[in-house]
C-alpha cells in the first residue's frame, strides 16, 4: 500500500486572495477614479484604455484594478514582479505580445513595484508601448516622477490611488464574514467596534485588514460550532500598528518635511507628532538629530543661540544611548526649536555669499589680509597695512576684508527676533563707527 502524499491537500488561499473583486461593482474604494462618473471607469467601459501607472500606498487595490481592467476589456493578462523578473524574461514576453497583437489579441502587462526595475529594464517596455503591442499598467508606492524613466512616464497616464477609508475597510470586513468566499459558511461572532478597531489598525490597507481578521477568526473561541472573536484576541492581533514608511522613499521625505515645517511654524504639538511617527516607524534617530541641528541654525540662528547647543546635545545623546531612551531628548530639542524665536538670516547670508563665491571664483584675497610667513611674501606686499583689531581702543578698524568688486556687499541681515535684536544693534553700531572713521 502506498504512503499518503504530503501534498494531497491543497493549501487554502489567504482570505485577501479569496475575496479579490472581479468586477468594478465589487471593487471598494477609489470612487474618484472608478465611481459612477470616474474617469477611469469611463475609459474601461468605453474600452479605450491606454498605458498607465497606478501610484498609491500598499493594499489599496492596484493589482486587483489591473486584473479587472483585463477581464472587462477581454485582454490577455501578464503579470510581472519587479522583484523576480529579469530583462531576458521581459524581452521574451514582449516578443510574444508583439506577435499576439498582429492577430488582434490585446495584451495587458502588469508590473508590480515597477519602481524597482532599473533603467534598462524599464526601457525594454518602451518600444512595445510606443507601437501599441502592449498596454502597460505599472503599480508603484513611490512617486513616479522620481522612480520611472521620463520617456516611459510620458507615455503613461498616472492615476493616484488613495488609502482606503475606515468605512471602506469595515465594509470589506463585513463582506468577508458573509461571503461564501470568506467565512460565509461559518458562524462568526465579532462586535462592530472590534471590526472598527481592525479597520483603524489597517491604516488604509485592505490586505492588512483582511489578514488581521483571518488571524483573529482562526484564533477565536469555538463553542458548539460558533466562533467568537473577543476583544482580547483582536488586541493580540493588533498589538503594533504597521506604519507606512520607507527610509529611502518619498514618505521618508514627506515626514521629515512635516517635522521641519511644524517646528518652523512654531507648532510643538504637530512637531512632536511627526517626530513620533518617524521614530515609531524605525527611523534612525541620528538622522532626525542631524536635521534638528540643521534647523537650529537655518531657522532659529542667532535669534536664540542656545538652540544650537540644545540640538547638538540631543545629537550627542542619540549617539550615546540610542533608542528608545533618546526619544525624550529629541522631543526636548524639537519642542525647543518650535518655541524658539525664528530667524533665517544665517541661511540667507550663506546662500547669497555662495552665489557670489561661485560667480567670482577667481577673486583674489586682498593682500592686506594675506599671511606672510616668508620674506618674499612680505616683499611683494602680503599683509602690508594689516591692522590688528586688538591694538585699537574700540577693537575695530576700517580695513577692507572683501575683494574690491564686492567691498560694499552685505550678506548678513539680522532680524529683531529674540536675541538677534542685540546682534542687529551691535552690527549697526559697527557700521556707523566704520562710516565715521573712514571719513
Amino acid at each position: 500500500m502506498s504512503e499518503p502524499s504530503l501534498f494531497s491537500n491543497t493549501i487554502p488561499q489567504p482570505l485577501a486572495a479569496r475575496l479579490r473583486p472581479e468586477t468594478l461593482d465589487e471593487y471598494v474604494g477609489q470612487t474618484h477614479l472608478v465611481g459612477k462618473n470616474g474617469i477611469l471607469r469611463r475609459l474601461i467601459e468605453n474600452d479605450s484604455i491606454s498605458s498607465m501607472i497606478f501610484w498609491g500606498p500598499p493594499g489599496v487595490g492596484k493589482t486587483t484594478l489591473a486584473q479587472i481592467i483585463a477581464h472587462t476589456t477581454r485582454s490577455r493578462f501578464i503579470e510581472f514582479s519587479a522583484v523576480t523578473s529579469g530583462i531576458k524574461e521581459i524581452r521574451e514576453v514582449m516578443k510574444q505580445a508583439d506577435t499576439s497583437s498582429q492577430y488582434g489579441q490585446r495584451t495587458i502587462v502588469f508590473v508590480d513595484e515597477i519602481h524597482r526595475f532599473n533603467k534598462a529594464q524599464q526601457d525594454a517596455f518602451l518600444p512595445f508601448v510606443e507601437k501599441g503591442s502592449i498596454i502597460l499598467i505599472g503599480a508603484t508606492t513611490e512617486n513616479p516622477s522620481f522612480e520611472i524613466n521620463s520617456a516611459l512616464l510620458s507615455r503613461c497616464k498616472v492615476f493616484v490611488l488613495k488609502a482606503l477609508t475606515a468605512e471602506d475597510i469595515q465594509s470589506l470586513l463585513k463582506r468577508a464574514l458573509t461571503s461564501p468566499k470568506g467565512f460565509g459558511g461559518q458562524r462568526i461572532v465579532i462586535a462592530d467596534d472590534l471590526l472598527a478597531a481592525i479597520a483603524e489598525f489597517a491604516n488604509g490597507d485592505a490586505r492588512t485588514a483582511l489578514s488581521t481578521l483571518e488571524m483573529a477568526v482562526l484564533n477565536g473561541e469555538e463553542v458548539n460550532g460558533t466562533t467568537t472573536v473577543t476583544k482580547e484576541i483582536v488586541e493580540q492581533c493588533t498589538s503594533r500598528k504597521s506604519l507606512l514608511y520607507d527610509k529611502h522613499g518619498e514618505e521618508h521625505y514627506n515626514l521629515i518635511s512635516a517635522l521641519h515645517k511644524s517646528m518652523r511654524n512654531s507648532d510643538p504639538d504637530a512637531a512632536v507628532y511627526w517626530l513620533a511617527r518617524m521614530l515609531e516607524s524605525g527611523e534612525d534617530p541620528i538622522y532626525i538629530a542631524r536635521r534638528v541641528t540643521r534647523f537650529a541654525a537655518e531657522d532659529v540662528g542667532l535669534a536664540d543661540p542656545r538652540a544650537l547647543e540644545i540640538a547638538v546635545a540631543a545629537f550627542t545623546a542619540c549617539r550615546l544611548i540610542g533608542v528608545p531612551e533618546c526619544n525624550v531628548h529629541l522631543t526636548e530639542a524639537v519642542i525647543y526649536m518650535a518655541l524658539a524665536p525664528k530667524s533665517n538670516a544665517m541661511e540667507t547670508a550663506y546662500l547669497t555669499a555662495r552665489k557670489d563665491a561661485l560667480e567670482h571664483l577667481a577673486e583674489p584675497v586682498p593682500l592686506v589680509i594675506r599671511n606672510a610667513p616668508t620674506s618674499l611674501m612680505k616683499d611683494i606686499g602680503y599683509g602690508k597695512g594689516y591692522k590688528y583689531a586688538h591694538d585699537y581702543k574700540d577693537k575695530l578698524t576700517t580695513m577692507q576684508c572683501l575683494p574690491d568688486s564686492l567691498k560694499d556687499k552685505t550678506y548678513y541681515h539680522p532680524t529683531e527676533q529674540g536675541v538677534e535684536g542685540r546682534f542687529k544693534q551691535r552690527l549697526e553700531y559697527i557700521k556707523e563707527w566704520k562710516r565715521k572713521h573712514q571719513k
Side-chain angles (χ1 to χ4, degrees):
M1 187 173 71
S2 61
E3 294 183 5
S5 171
L6 291 175
F7 305 100
S8 57
N9 295 321
T10 58
I11 299 174
Q13 286 186 308
L15 180 62
R18 302 200 306 270
L19 286 176
R20 191 182 293 277
E22 296 180 356
T23 66
L24 286 177
D25 291 334
E26 295 176 356
Y27 190 81
V28 174
Q30 316 310 327
T31 54
H32 63 295
L33 297 178
V34 296
K36 184 177 179 181
N37 296 312
I39 180 174
L40 185 54
R41 188 184 191 102
R42 293 200 301 271
L43 291 173
I44 295 170
E45 292 178 342
N46 294 332
D47 201 7
S48 55
I49 62 169
S50 57
S51 292
M52 61 188 77
I53 302 293
F54 292 155
W55 174 27
V60 297
K62 297 186 287 291
T63 303
T64 297
L65 190 52
Q67 292 178 347
I68 290 174
I69 291 173
H71 177 74
T72 305
T73 59
R74 297 182 179 180
S75 303
R76 180 182 176 213
F77 185 79
I78 298 176
E79 184 173 353
F80 275 109
S81 170
V83 177
T84 59
S85 303
I87 195 166
K88 181 180 179 182
E89 184 181 358
I90 293 172
R91 287 172 175 163
E92 289 176 356
V93 172
M94 292 303 98
K95 185 176 180 181
Q96 295 172 15
D98 196 25
T99 301
S100 297
S101 69
Q102 297 174 19
Y103 293 95
Q105 174 67 57
R106 179 168 48 190
T107 300
I108 289 179
V109 175
F110 175 72
V111 183
D112 194 20
E113 298 188 276
I114 192 171
H115 59 276
R116 294 185 182 274
F117 271 152
N118 60 35
K119 185 179 186 300
Q121 290 169 315
Q122 291 185 26
D123 283 345
F125 294 109
L126 191 57
F128 300 95
V129 169
E130 285 183 326
K131 63 182 180 179
S133 300
I134 65 166
I135 292 175
L136 176 68
I137 301 180
T140 179
T141 56
E142 301 297 325
N143 191 326
S145 302
F146 303 144
E147 303 295 339
I148 298 177
N149 294 351
S150 57
L152 186 59
L153 188 60
S154 67
R155 290 160 177 81
C156 298
K157 170 67 177 174
V158 176
F159 291 105
V160 180
L161 277 66
K162 302 176 181 178
L164 300 182
T165 66
E167 291 75 16
D168 289 336
I169 292 180
Q170 284 189 63
S171 70
L172 279 174
L173 295 174
K174 290 179 179 179
R175 180 190 298 176
L177 293 172
T178 58
S179 171
K181 297 179 182 178
F183 299 114
Q186 303 176 42
R187 286 184 289 177
I188 309 294
V189 176
I190 179 171
D192 286 345
D193 63 328
L194 297 183
L195 291 178
I198 293 174
E200 180 68 23
F201 166 79
N203 200 32
D205 187 327
R207 190 184 303 109
T208 296
L210 292 171
S211 298
T212 304
L213 176 64
E214 186 173 29
M215 187 187 307
V217 170
L218 291 175
N219 287 279
E221 300 174 355
E222 185 175 352
V223 179
N224 297 326
T226 298
T227 300
T228 301
V229 178
T230 64
K231 180 181 178 181
E232 290 71 25
I233 291 172
V234 172
E235 287 177 345
Q236 290 176 21
C237 294
T238 58
S239 59
R240 183 174 177 87
K241 179 175 287 189
S242 299
L243 296 174
L244 172 62
Y245 196 68
D246 180 350
K247 292 183 184 180
H248 306 290
E250 186 195 1
E251 195 66 8
H252 164 83
Y253 298 105
N254 289 342
L255 288 178
I256 195 63
S257 174
L259 172 61
H260 198 125
K261 290 171 182 173
S262 296
M263 292 189 296
R264 180 181 290 157
N265 199 48
S266 300
D267 189 335
D269 298 309
V272 172
Y273 169 75
W274 295 119
L275 171 67
R277 277 280 299 271
M278 297 184 79
L279 288 172
E280 295 306 315
S281 299
E283 180 57 81
D284 182 0
I286 297 296
Y287 169 76
I288 301 174
R290 286 206 317 268
R291 294 301 299 260
V292 173
T293 303
R294 164 75 186 199
F295 181 94
E298 178 182 345
D299 284 271
V300 177
L302 290 177
D304 184 355
R306 276 279 294 158
L308 185 57
E309 296 177 22
I310 296 290
V312 172
F315 181 88
T316 302
C318 289
R319 293 189 63 181
L320 290 176
I321 65 176
V323 292
E325 288 81 1
C326 73
N327 293 357
V328 70
H329 299 90
L330 283 173
T331 302
E332 179 179 350
V334 162
I335 291 177
Y336 192 99
M337 301 304 148
L339 296 179
K342 305 297 188 293
S343 169
N344 70 339
M346 303 299 104
E347 176 82 349
T348 55
Y350 178 77
L351 292 178
T352 308
R354 176 180 180 271
K355 181 175 182 295
D356 283 344
L358 292 173
E359 293 177 355
H360 300 271
L361 285 177
E363 198 72 37
V365 175
L367 289 174
V368 68
I369 55 174
R370 295 189 193 186
N371 282 333
T374 68
S375 57
L376 174 61
M377 289 177 170
K378 288 181 181 178
D379 291 342
I380 60 177
Y382 278 42
K384 184 178 181 179
Y386 174 70
K387 298 177 181 179
Y388 186 58
H390 294 284
D391 289 341
Y392 295 82
K393 177 183 176 182
D394 295 318
K395 310 299 181 185
L396 295 171
T397 77
T398 57
M399 183 175 60
Q400 178 184 321
C401 296
L402 278 171
D404 287 340
S405 63
L406 299 171
K407 68 176 183 177
D408 296 321
K409 197 67 181 279
T410 300
Y411 297 110
Y412 176 46
H413 300 277
T415 70
E416 294 184 353
Q417 295 296 312
V419 179
E420 195 166 34
R422 301 208 303 263
F423 288 92
K424 182 178 182 180
Q425 293 176 0
R426 171 66 178 167
L427 182 59
E428 289 173 349
Y429 169 80
I430 292 170
K431 288 185 175 181
E432 180 60 30
W433 186 96
K434 290 187 176 184
R435 280 193 293 268
K436 183 189 300 183
H437 287 77
Q438 280 171 342
K439 293 178 181 178

